[in-house]
């Protein structure tokens, strides 16, 4: 068997299997769409339908990336600025919190579905929700 094939996880039973299958080997449900279809759905929601929730999430992500790139650009130009602390640059904890909250909202407050969106385990998702004081 070729190891360069992609694997995919069933949404209902979480069995990992090759992505060339259309239905799960264990439970028979349809497997999730490949990444190309996901990108197509994002483009459809943002460009065609102009879904305001998706646009707001993308705008928030764009701002975080712009802040990070600007901060890295100024640090490259000013070596002494490495010693100064700047609170405007988001920390990893802030970025993680924003991603967890965004996935939780996108999944209609379903922690298991949010965990799948993020690619983390359900136990980790529940722990992270407790840490940011969001009831599951």
């Amino acid at each position: 068997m070729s190891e360069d094939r992609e694997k995919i996880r069933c949404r209902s039973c979480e069995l990992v299997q090759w992505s060339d299958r259309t239905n799960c080997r264990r439970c028979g449900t349809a497997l999730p769409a490949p990444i190309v279809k996901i990108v197509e759905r994002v483009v459809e929601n943002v460009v065609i339908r102009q879904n305001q929730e998706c646009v707001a999430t993308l705008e928030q992500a764009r701002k975080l990336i712009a802040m990070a790139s600007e901060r890295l650009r100024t640090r490259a130009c000013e070596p002494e600025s490495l010693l100064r602390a700047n609170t405007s640059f988001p920390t990893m904890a802030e970025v993680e919190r924003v991603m967890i909250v965004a996935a939780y909202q996108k999944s209609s407050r379903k922690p298991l579905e949010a965990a799948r969106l993020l690619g983390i385990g359900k136990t980790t998702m529940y722990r992270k929700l407790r840490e940011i004081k969001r009831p599951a």
Side-chain angles (χ1 to χ4, degrees), residues 42-123:
V42 169
V43 169
E44 179 184 346
N45 279 331
V46 173
V47 178
I48 298 169
R49 293 185 185 163
Q50 295 182 352
N51 185 341
Q52 293 303 318
E53 184 179 326
C54 291
V55 171
T57 303
L58 286 174
E59 182 62 26
Q60 187 178 17
R62 187 196 64 77
K63 286 179 183 176
L64 282 173
I65 291 170
M67 285 174 35
S69 63
E70 180 62 33
R71 184 68 188 135
L72 290 174
R73 222 176 297 127
T74 58
R75 281 187 178 180
C77 297
E78 304 170 9
E80 65 275 358
S81 69
L82 290 172
L83 301 175
R84 287 185 266 143
N86 189 355
T87 57
S88 66
F89 190 74
T91 64
M92 287 301 290
E94 291 169 345
V95 173
E96 179 183 72
R97 183 184 178 284
V98 167
M99 293 299 294
I100 288 172
V101 170
Y104 190 57
Q105 290 172 346
K106 181 169 175 48
S107 65
S108 304
R109 297 179 53 92
K110 296 177 184 169
L112 188 58
E113 190 175 325
R116 289 184 185 135
L117 284 172
L118 294 171
I120 61 176
K122 61 182 180 182
T123 307

Side-chain angles (χ1 to χ4, degrees), residues 2-68:
S2 174
E3 289 298 319
D4 57 343
R5 293 190 299 174
E6 289 188 38
K7 293 182 180 178
I8 197 163
R9 182 183 302 269
C10 177
R11 288 185 180 158
S12 59
C13 70
E14 297 190 354
L15 177 70
V16 176
Q17 51 206 323
W18 299 117
S19 62
D20 56 356
R21 299 183 58 91
T22 55
N23 294 331
C24 178
R25 299 190 318 247
R26 182 185 294 163
C27 64
T29 59
L31 292 173
I35 192 70
V36 174
K37 299 217 182 211
I38 294 170
V39 171
E40 287 174 356
R41 274 190 258 142
V42 169
V43 169
E44 179 184 346
N45 279 331
V46 173
V47 178
I48 298 169
R49 293 185 185 163
Q50 295 182 352
N51 185 341
Q52 293 303 318
E53 184 179 326
C54 291
V55 171
T57 303
L58 286 174
E59 182 62 26
Q60 187 178 17
R62 187 196 64 77
K63 286 179 183 176
L64 282 173
I65 291 170
M67 285 174 35

